[in-house]
Amino acid sequence: MSDGKLFAKSNSVELRAELEQAMKKSKSHSRIKIVLRKVIANIILNNNELAAMMPDVIDLFKIDDLEIRKMCFQYLSNYAHVNPRDASEALPYLEQFLNDSSPIVRALAIRTLASVANKDYIERTVGAVRTGLGDVDPYVRKTAAYAVSRLYQHDPTRTEKHNLISELNELLYDKNQVVVSNALASLSYVTDHSRTLTLAIDKAHSMALITHLGNANEWCQIYILNSLMSYVPQNSEEALDLIEATIPSLQHENSSVVLNAIKVIVYYSHYVKNPGLIFPTLPKRLGTSLISLLSKPAEIQFLVLRNVILLLLGSKDLVSFEVEMFFCHNEDPIYIKDTKLEIIYLLANEQNVHVVLRELEEYATEVDVSMARKAIRALGNLAVKLPNAADACVEVIQNLFNEGISYIVQESAVVLKNIMRKYPNKFQQETLELVKFYKLIDEPDAKASMIWIIGQACQFIDSVETIFEVIISNFKDDPIEVQYATLTAATKLYLMLPEKGEKTVLNVLKWATEESDNPDIRERGYIYWRLISSEYASGKSGNFQEVTKEIILNPNPIISPENDSIDPKILEELELNIGTLASIYLKPVSHVFRLAKVKSLPNSPVLQKRAQGPVTSDVTVATKNAQSTSGRKVSVISSPVADTSFPARNLTPRSTSSKQTYDSTGSSNEDISSKDSFAKRLTRKATQLAARKGSRD
Amino acid sequence: MITALFIYDSKGDVLMSKLYKDGIKRNISDVFRIQIISTTNKGASSSSRDVRSPVLTLGSTSFVYIKSSSIWFCAVTRSNQDCSAILEFLYNLESLLKVVQLTSESITNNFSLVYELLEEIVEFGYPTNLELSYLKNYLTTVPTNDNIFKMSSSAWKSSKNAGASNTVNASSSSRAHPDRNITWRSPGIKYRRNEIFLNVEEKITVVMNDDADVLRSHVDGCIRMKTHLSGMPECRFGLGDNSILLNSFNKNVDTSGGNVILEDSKFHQCVELNKFDSDRLIQFVPPDGEFQLMAYHCRSNINLPFKVYADVYEIGRSKLSYKIRVKSCFPAKIPATNVQIKVPTPKGVLDSYSSNSAGKSKFHPEDNVILWKFNKFFGEQEHVLTAEVELADNSHDTSQQMAQTNTTNSILNWSRPPIKLDFVIEMFSSSGLAVKFLKVQEKSNYKTVKWVKYSTQSGSYEIRY
């Protein structure tokens, strides 16, 4: 008998008539079941009109058939809040069922009572739950445990007032271990949503829970492991015992058990001095455990990879990986390839850089354009991160862009600009090679970078003025960051090569000051104009534009990959949330989920202080913030958030700090921060000039 | 944990919905449909590109979802929740409902059963127990003969009659093993013939260069068991002496040849993990029917089944010559089946010519690949493919003009995608893993027939040249 035909919307009048018919005929039970199935179909299809037939359904409680009763219970749970008046009629039946001989019926009665938020139900439920918590059958006790949470969500004050929470607490000492685990889950709901209550367990209980771990099914193991986070060890031996006891769970095939076990181990390792000394193979075990999870389906892989990033940022010494395990496969979906690239970047060091470079070179020649771009960006970031490997990285990049493929050249321009900032006077040869491809550049990022490069290296480039003319031939239509770059580069060109640059700089400045609509461009144009044409431009010794050169040709602050790290406090909180949704976004939990409770490492005599990370105040994350131009980032902390509709109201606006914190990705941040410092430098110089003038008079 | 669960078909119609907690309205199902399903269906051309993340968060509400053939499973949660548990639950639910492939008919035809199931397996949003044998005791609806569940409906009916409205099963299953709560197996199973089928399935992933030097390789293996055993048998499983399972105490491992080193192994929940950790003993009471006992990962001392020497060079500007030599390195009596070698070519091939010492080779212009197939490839053999492809001649290739035209027809611009090799080899294990013993102990002391089968499959066998 296929239910497919029953899966359609109906109305209460029809069904009521059908029920009446069914009661009259023979084999009434099976006919009634058909009608009830239609009712269930309507519940699924969200048809609230059926609440009108509540009295008829309640009548069916008289029939002693478990299947019919179950469907009536389901009807009641769903519609009682729509039709509270009629729902009250069911209460006497439910009370009767609470004392039924079958534990299934008892449990269902408790569950249905607790699911309904009507006032009269809540009153009866308190008593029912209390009896249920002490029932002889473990299935009923388990249902009663969850019923406490259901009550709590309807009416927290009443639940607490009637001491139900403490009675639930008693269940933690139940002799049936399934009941214990489910009571833990129920308590975790209550503590998560209560401002005042938290779960606290003592040492004996934590060891008892560990012994339960071995016998429990996978879901119970998850709840038990979670509860272990509530114990605060008072000395190192306790913490070590617990770590050792949790290690077997790393072998479980359920990835959630493994991730929760890792969460527990990382938590307890904060209370042990030098965990690496006592468990020398722990990093390798955690590492291999996580890697074997990579054979699971894509979504789970993604979660595991995000947590790998979290662990690498926060507790690097606790995990050891080989970078080859994170090399991308062709079939991986794009979000996994992205995350793997970030991990490869984090794991790259002087020893394995050659293997990594070879692999990145392969990706850069792939057919998938976005993958190739990310690979090149990763190559650039590596060059900045590892000074000893910079030559090798740049060689690879040069091999790639020499093929002359458009998107590769453009990406290489952006990347090479960053490299030049980090190593100011190196790589001239490679720069010249890149500049030969200037005609391929049309994307804004790449154009701005190329213009900057030309401005920096104009002394080494032959016929630089013709090249420059061609590139900026469109500058009136170029986007803003390109226009900024053009202004600065034109001025630099003029300063360093006055004969060649004069015509260009005049053109550019004229246009910027007279024809541009953007006030910032205009102002900048004026500033440059006045600097160049000022009578003090050549300074005391009369060298050409000496003072102007001092101002504009200042060496840029050297960039560094400091963006690798997140604020230690945030890391601490995220580590307490390994495997949860927050670990995907790698942001403070309360930023993503406003109502979530903030977690932090509880204090104890043996709490190890985390070493202070490098001083970066904020997480510069790819957000929908105006400063990021494009969504393509290989920043270490790039989250998928930028591409999901993540409402900006949940984010506190982040200002890039006035220090030159380098965002390892975009050029735009650097432009804006250099604009800030530019203005500051100018005011400084202006006051100095004024002071000099004043003193001269 | 989970506030609501929805199952959709490919168009976005709701096939199943279950609300577990307050605080959410039923019409939240529309949000998911609009956000995810509609956008995926619209961008069908580059579908993988549209999937940015398997989790969508709007405000405080998150949608954690998976797709099984054409069916969407979506769990709605509020606030920060354990995402790993939810994903594992969704996959477990999928495998619980699926026989071969899940279709919207199989769900609508059994909707009342699925609805009842969803009520039993998740209590207040927390998954409790998805084991079939346990659920049989609590579900009242009979499944149709579509076999929505993995077991046959006849076995279902027999146990249902036993436990229609009595209380025995619920508590007796926990009393059967007082110190272990075996929720995955109910007592009282009987078979006339007690047998166990063991399948060791391995997937080997290799990247090698054109000289058959291995750049990296690893094996992902899993051991699947199908048991037809009566009662509550205790099984003991042992691997060959030469296999080393790494644990906390092995600091220096002998990586010389001959040893199988399993970097990490994951076990089914029925295995007693603490016994494994202390004594390296795999002891378990198996669930009835098919299940995956263990999954492992092996990175060293791998027996490569195939070695490929690839020689690809250009003749002039428009011709490409291939000489691919494939050598099999497993015992001569074993055949590899479904052997397929994909040799990629650049785009714009005008003419192709290939000859081979065995098998069939054919050029497929739509995929730009030469496909070399074998019905059976026996061990310790070597075969060669020689091929030549002629491309459209692009002789005007100064770099500037190249840049302007941006063509990829020229050999110069060809990115040389790797050669791919696919195969299935029976009775061969590339990690060298061997099952040494499998002992079954049960009160009635019956004899068990055991069958062991090994197979190695190509995961991703790539040759770069």
Side-chain angles (χ1 to χ4, degrees):
Chain A
M1 148 181 66
S2 163
D3 286 346
K5 299 170 271 177
L6 307 173
F7 194 69
K9 280 196 179 177
S10 343
N11 67 42
S12 53
V13 179
E14 282 173 19
L15 292 179
R16 197 178 288 152
E18 278 188 46
L19 263 182
E20 280 182 32
Q21 286 288 322
M23 303 269 229
K24 293 183 198 154
K25 294 206 178 151
S26 65
K27 284 204 267 184
S28 58
H29 282 199
S30 37
R31 288 174 202 274
I32 293 179
K33 287 182 194 175
I34 294 183
V35 179
L36 280 175
R37 288 205 187 142
K38 288 193 188 172
V39 172
I40 304 272
N42 279 278
I43 295 180
I44 297 174
L45 294 170
N46 198 18
N47 179 3
N48 278 347
E49 198 267 327
L50 287 196
M53 49 185 286
M54 189 157 312
D56 310 84
V57 176
I58 295 182
D59 255 354
L60 294 176
F61 272 133
K62 298 183 197 135
I63 305 178
D64 188 16
D65 181 309
L66 186 58
E67 200 181 330
I68 293 185
R69 243 174 221 169
K70 245 194 164 176
M71 289 198 263
C72 296
F73 280 136
Q74 286 166 356
Y75 175 91
L76 201 55
S77 323
N78 262 289
Y79 287 128
H81 67 100
V82 181
N83 189 348
R85 227 171 15 129
D86 288 335
S88 314
E89 307 291 321
L91 278 175
Y93 288 103
L94 288 173
E95 297 243 1
Q96 184 193 338
F97 291 140
L98 286 175
N99 299 319
D100 196 282
S101 51
S102 153
I104 300 184
V105 175
R106 290 203 299 275
L108 282 175
I110 297 182
R111 192 188 291 165
T112 315
L113 263 179
S115 313
V116 180
N118 300 347
K119 252 202 170 151
D120 42 2
Y121 274 74
I122 295 184
E123 283 168 14
R124 308 287 180 90
T125 312
V126 173
V129 169
R130 187 169 285 136
T131 351
L133 285 172
D135 196 284
V136 299
D137 189 289
Y139 182 72
V140 181
R141 291 203 296 277
K142 177 190 87 163
T143 316
Y146 282 114
V148 176
S149 292
R150 287 183 209 260
L151 257 185
Y152 190 83
Q153 65 172 342
H154 301 320
D155 194 342
T157 33
R158 188 189 286 242
T159 322
E160 281 187 53
K161 201 169 63 151
H162 286 269
N163 268 338
L164 281 179
I165 313 269
S166 21
E167 295 192 25
L168 177 59
N169 217 356
E170 296 293 312
L171 271 191
L172 292 183
Y173 301 96
D174 195 284
K175 52 187 182 336
N176 182 311
Q177 150 304 100
V178 172
V179 176
V180 173
S181 331
N182 286 301
L184 280 171
S186 185
L187 273 174
S188 75
Y189 175 85
V190 173
T191 50
D192 277 345
H193 289 254
S194 152
R195 282 186 200 287
T196 48
L197 300 169
T198 44
L199 183 66
I201 52 183
D202 61 15
K203 170 119 212 289
H205 203 195
S206 60
M207 294 314 281
L209 287 175
I210 295 264
T211 47
H212 281 162
L213 256 185
N215 304 328
N217 82 17
E218 46 194 347
W219 312 104
C220 294
Q221 285 198 33
I222 296 176
Y223 306 136
I224 294 180
L225 283 170
N226 218 3
S227 68
L228 285 178
M229 302 288 289
S230 311
Y231 172 60
V232 185
Q234 298 302 316
N235 59 48
S236 289
E237 282 78 43
E238 295 180 357
L240 284 171
D241 282 342
L242 282 159
I243 295 183
E244 229 180 304
T246 321
I247 286 184
S249 295
L250 292 172
Q251 314 272 155
H252 203 285
E253 63 162 5
N254 183 319
S255 60
S256 186
V257 174
V258 175
L259 279 175
N260 278 296
I262 295 183
K263 181 170 78 178
V264 171
I265 293 178
V266 169
Y267 165 69
Y268 282 115
S269 61
H270 285 302
Y271 295 91
V272 178
K273 215 187 249 181
N274 286 334
L277 266 171
I278 310 181
F279 286 118
T281 51
L282 184 64
K284 191 142 196 301
R285 287 206 73 183
L286 288 184
T288 48
S289 193
L290 283 167
I291 288 184
S292 43
L293 285 180
L294 293 182
S295 49
K296 290 235 161 193
E299 292 87 355
I300 300 186
Q301 266 192 65
F302 177 67
L303 185 64
V304 171
L305 289 172
R306 298 297 293 177
N307 283 282
V308 166
I309 295 184
L310 170 61
L311 285 170
L312 282 175
L313 290 175
S315 302
K316 219 178 193 179
D317 332 305
L318 275 181
V319 283
S320 108
F321 298 109
E322 289 180 37
V323 72
E324 289 95 352
M325 296 318 298
F326 296 103
F327 286 164
C328 301
H329 299 135
N330 262 333
E331 322 82 48
D332 288 337
I334 191 85
Y335 52 86
I336 292 197
K337 283 190 183 167
D338 282 357
T339 324
K340 280 189 178 174
L341 267 180
E342 290 180 25
I343 299 181
I344 293 176
Y345 167 77
L346 284 172
L347 284 175
N349 55 33
E350 317 268 318
Q351 285 80 42
N352 59 28
V353 69
H354 294 282
V355 180
V356 173
L357 284 181
R358 198 170 46 189
E359 193 65 21
L360 287 176
E361 198 174 349
E362 275 292 321
Y363 299 153
T365 50
E366 256 191 42
V367 184
D368 181 359
V369 171
S370 69
M371 184 66 183
R373 283 181 188 262
K374 289 185 218 271
I376 296 182
R377 242 174 284 149
L379 279 167
N381 291 342
L382 274 182
V384 170
K385 175 180 168 188
L386 303 167
N388 290 341
D391 294 316
C393 293
V394 177
E395 195 184 321
V396 172
I397 299 179
Q398 185 179 359
N399 287 339
L400 289 170
F401 71 64
N402 267 336
E403 305 276 340
I405 302 178
S406 158
Y407 57 87
I408 296 191
V409 169
Q410 309 220 45
E411 212 53 52
S412 309
V414 179
V415 149
L416 208 58
K417 175 205 72 176
N418 294 336
I419 296 181
M420 279 179 69
R421 277 197 61 184
K422 167 96 179 180
Y423 309 104
N425 292 318
K426 280 180 88 173
F427 303 123
Q428 285 171 6
Q429 186 60 32
E430 289 81 355
T431 319
L432 289 176
E433 293 289 321
L434 180 66
V435 176
K436 287 191 191 146
F437 290 98
Y438 68 93
K439 286 196 187 152
L440 289 174
I441 309 268
D442 52 25
E443 289 169 20
D445 276 4
K447 212 167 180 180
S449 310
M450 183 62 104
I451 293 177
W452 185 88
I453 293 177
I454 295 181
Q456 278 295 103
C458 50
Q459 293 172 309
F460 313 112
I461 306 176
D462 305 322
S463 55
V464 60
E465 72 278 11
T466 28
I467 299 182
F468 199 62
E469 286 283 327
V470 172
I471 290 194
I472 64 174
S473 51
N474 250 3
F475 57 57
K476 291 183 202 162
D477 304 318
D478 280 331
I480 300 219
E481 56 267 16
V482 179
Q483 292 179 347
Y484 281 136
T486 314
L487 275 175
T488 316
T491 320
K492 284 187 193 164
L493 185 61
Y494 171 65
L495 288 175
M496 297 213 258
L497 305 168
E499 314 84 48
K500 294 188 183 180
E502 185 167 352
K503 193 164 99 52
T504 320
V505 76
L506 284 176
N507 261 343
V508 172
L509 288 177
K510 187 161 187 286
W511 168 81
T513 51
E514 292 174 16
E515 292 176 40
S516 164
D517 285 331
N518 187 312
D520 291 322
I521 304 266
R522 253 208 321 272
E523 301 232 331
R524 209 185 243 211
Y526 276 123
I527 292 177
Y528 283 135
W529 194 295
R530 285 176 191 157
L531 275 176
I532 299 179
S533 45
S534 152
E535 53 198 22
Y536 299 106
S538 298
K540 278 199 207 137
S541 45
N543 285 333
F544 172 68
Q545 299 280 3
E546 189 182 322
V547 178
T548 325
K549 280 193 193 170
E550 251 182 77
I551 299 177
I552 298 184
L553 296 182
N554 233 337
N556 284 309
I558 297 195
I559 60 176
S560 61
E562 270 181 5
N563 202 39
D564 284 4
S565 55
I566 308 186
D567 184 5
K569 268 219 175 30
I570 303 181
L571 277 175
E572 184 184 303
E573 188 189 22
L574 285 172
E575 276 181 2
L576 292 172
N577 281 301
I578 286 179
T580 65
L581 289 163
S583 66
I584 298 184
Y585 298 115
L586 286 179
K587 282 198 192 154
V589 180
S590 49
H591 282 227
V592 186
F593 305 104
R594 266 171 309 143
L595 302 170
K597 246 182 170 176
V598 179
K599 291 190 193 170
S600 60
L601 282 175
N603 222 337
S604 144
V606 277
L607 177 60
Q608 306 294 319
K609 291 277 177 273
R610 187 187 284 273
Q612 282 303 312
V615 187
T616 36
S617 49
D618 276 325
V619 179
T620 37
V621 180
T623 64
K624 279 173 114 170
N625 220 314
Q627 287 167 351
S628 49
T629 46
S630 56
R632 346 161 267 152
K633 305 276 181 200
V634 176
S635 88
V636 176
I637 337 272
S638 90
S639 64
V641 169
D643 296 300
T644 64
S645 30
F646 192 75
R649 65 180 162 84
N650 273 345
L651 303 171
T652 55
R654 283 181 222 288
S655 53
T656 43
S657 50
S658 54
K659 290 175 284 190
Q660 311 289 344
T661 46
Y662 169 61
D663 178 357
S664 65
T665 63
S667 50
S668 48
N669 266 348
E670 180 251 308
D671 275 348
I672 292 182
S673 50
S674 69
K675 183 176 149 219
D676 284 339
S677 66
F678 173 72
K680 286 205 184 94
R681 276 185 268 156
L682 277 180
T683 42
R684 234 186 310 133
K685 276 294 173 183
T687 44
Q688 279 182 9
L689 278 176
R692 246 184 260 169
K693 183 182 176 202
S695 65
R696 223 179 283 152
D697 288 347
Chain B
M1 206 183 283
I2 304 177
T3 308
L5 186 70
F6 295 104
I7 304 182
Y8 300 85
D9 70 0
S10 57
K11 282 182 292 199
D13 297 325
V14 174
L15 296 174
M16 179 60 50
S17 88
K18 181 89 178 118
L19 301 178
Y20 290 112
K21 293 192 199 169
D22 297 344
I24 209 157
K25 290 215 185 25
R26 172 67 174 68
N27 53 16
I28 198 101
S29 62
D30 297 331
V31 177
F32 180 74
R33 183 182 58 230
I34 298 171
Q35 290 289 333
I36 300 287
I37 303 186
S38 306
T39 48
T40 314
N41 286 341
K42 263 190 259 168
S45 53
S46 52
S47 51
S48 64
R49 227 157 284 257
D50 285 343
V51 180
R52 283 268 140 203
S53 154
V55 170
L56 168 69
T57 301
L58 298 170
S60 269
T61 313
S62 308
F63 299 86
V64 183
Y65 57 94
I66 66 170
K67 194 161 189 230
S68 161
S69 44
S70 60
I71 306 282
W72 297 82
F73 286 83
C74 173
V76 183
T77 67
R78 311 217 72 206
S79 193
N80 192 20
Q81 299 296 341
D82 190 344
C83 187
S84 57
I86 298 177
L87 281 170
E88 280 285 340
F89 165 72
L90 287 176
Y91 275 108
N92 276 352
L93 178 64
E94 182 212 359
S95 67
L96 189 62
L97 294 178
K98 166 162 99 160
V99 178
V100 176
Q101 219 196 32
L102 205 52
T103 59
S104 53
E105 285 79 38
S106 54
I107 299 190
T108 25
N109 285 344
N110 295 284
F111 72 84
S112 51
L113 174 62
V114 176
Y115 191 78
E116 215 187 325
L117 184 77
L118 286 179
E119 189 167 318
E120 276 307 320
I121 58 182
V122 176
E123 177 96 49
F124 192 55
Y126 291 91
T128 48
N129 195 333
L130 276 80
E131 294 291 333
L132 203 49
S133 44
Y134 164 86
L135 290 171
K136 273 189 287 179
N137 296 328
Y138 294 97
L139 294 178
T140 54
T141 337
V142 178
T144 69
N145 283 331
D146 290 342
N147 279 335
I148 187 172
F149 289 127
K150 287 185 267 199
M151 33 165 287
S152 66
S153 49
S154 55
W156 173 278
K157 286 202 190 102
S158 59
S159 59
K160 185 216 160 210
N161 287 334
S165 58
N166 65 20
T167 67
V168 178
N169 285 344
S171 32
S172 68
S173 58
S174 52
R175 260 187 253 128
H177 259 249
D179 41 4
R180 286 196 72 191
N181 258 299
I182 301 191
T183 51
W184 54 86
R185 190 185 175 93
S186 46
I189 302 180
K190 211 124 178 35
Y191 284 96
R192 235 174 2 137
R193 232 172 102 94
N194 294 303
E195 43 193 15
I196 302 185
F197 301 88
L198 228 124
N199 275 341
V200 179
E201 291 166 18
E202 297 191 342
K203 269 207 171 122
I204 176 168
T205 303
V206 170
V207 178
M208 60 168 75
N209 69 3
D210 50 350
D211 264 334
D213 293 323
V214 176
L215 296 174
R216 58 174 187 275
S217 62
H218 63 91
V219 174
D220 286 304
C222 68
I223 299 185
R224 269 191 241 276
M225 275 180 76
K226 187 153 103 168
T227 58
H228 292 308
L229 295 171
S230 326
M232 299 288 263
E234 278 256 345
C235 299
R236 272 210 195 104
F237 179 78
L239 299 167
D241 279 334
N242 58 352
S243 14
I244 302 176
L245 297 158
L246 294 182
N247 65 3
S248 327
F249 307 112
N250 280 352
K251 265 186 272 185
N252 304 315
V253 179
D254 181 14
T255 51
S256 58
N259 286 332
V260 180
I261 299 165
L262 303 182
E263 299 267 336
D264 186 68
S265 26
K266 295 254 186 282
F267 298 97
H268 190 265
Q269 55 170 336
C270 65
V271 176
E272 295 177 45
L273 291 173
N274 22 19
K275 280 233 174 62
F276 176 75
D277 200 57
S278 47
D279 309 323
R280 287 291 169 231
L281 195 61
I282 305 176
Q283 192 170 308
F284 56 97
V285 176
D288 191 40
E290 245 186 270
F291 74 102
Q292 180 175 307
L293 172 67
M294 156 179 182
Y296 57 88
H297 184 78
C298 180
R299 254 187 278 158
S300 28
N301 284 344
I302 298 179
N303 307 327
L304 281 186
F306 287 100
K307 282 208 168 100
V308 180
Y309 301 88
D311 216 352
V312 182
Y313 53 90
E314 306 155 22
I315 308 176
R317 279 220 189 96
S318 54
K319 274 213 189 132
L320 205 59
S321 157
Y322 297 86
K323 184 161 171 220
I324 318 274
R325 206 159 35 107
V326 179
K327 197 164 136 179
S328 54
C329 318
F330 44 89
K333 293 219 176 107
I334 302 177
T337 49
N338 292 350
V339 182
Q340 214 182 65
I341 302 171
K342 290 199 178 108
V343 183
T345 66
K347 289 196 201 152
V349 169
L350 295 174
D351 199 13
S352 79
Y353 152 80
S354 61
S355 83
N356 44 331
S357 56
K360 283 189 251 212
S361 67
K362 191 168 163 228
F363 173 68
H364 289 256
E366 66 278 4
D367 299 319
N368 289 316
V369 78
I370 299 178
L371 212 57
W372 189 15
K373 286 197 211 174
F374 291 84
N375 265 340
K376 276 202 170 65
F377 196 131
F378 281 89
E380 288 175 25
Q381 277 187 353
E382 196 175 309
H383 293 298
V384 185
L385 168 82
T386 33
E388 243 181 54
V389 289
E390 200 174 311
L391 300 156
D393 189 13
N394 280 328
S395 44
H396 51 276
D397 48 340
T398 59
S399 65
Q400 283 194 332
Q401 278 179 300
M402 271 302 315
Q404 281 171 353
T405 52
N406 245 340
T407 55
T408 47
N409 278 358
S410 159
I411 302 177
L412 291 171
N413 269 341
W414 185 42
S415 61
R416 291 207 166 198
I419 296 177
K420 287 215 177 61
L421 174 59
D422 288 306
F423 56 87
V424 176
I425 309 179
E426 308 278 340
M427 297 321 284
F428 174 72
S429 117
S430 43
S431 64
L433 188 94
V435 177
K436 188 166 161 202
F437 64 86
L438 176 54
K439 294 204 185 97
V440 180
Q441 198 148 346
E442 214 268 345
K443 284 182 297 199
S444 44
N445 254 337
Y446 48 69
K447 246 188 98 182
T448 331
V449 183
K450 302 170 199 142
W451 310 84
V452 183
K453 193 174 87 158
Y454 298 89
S455 84
T456 301
Q457 214 188 21
S458 57
S460 159
Y461 214 99
E462 287 184 1
I463 300 101
R464 296 188 183 158
Y465 49 92

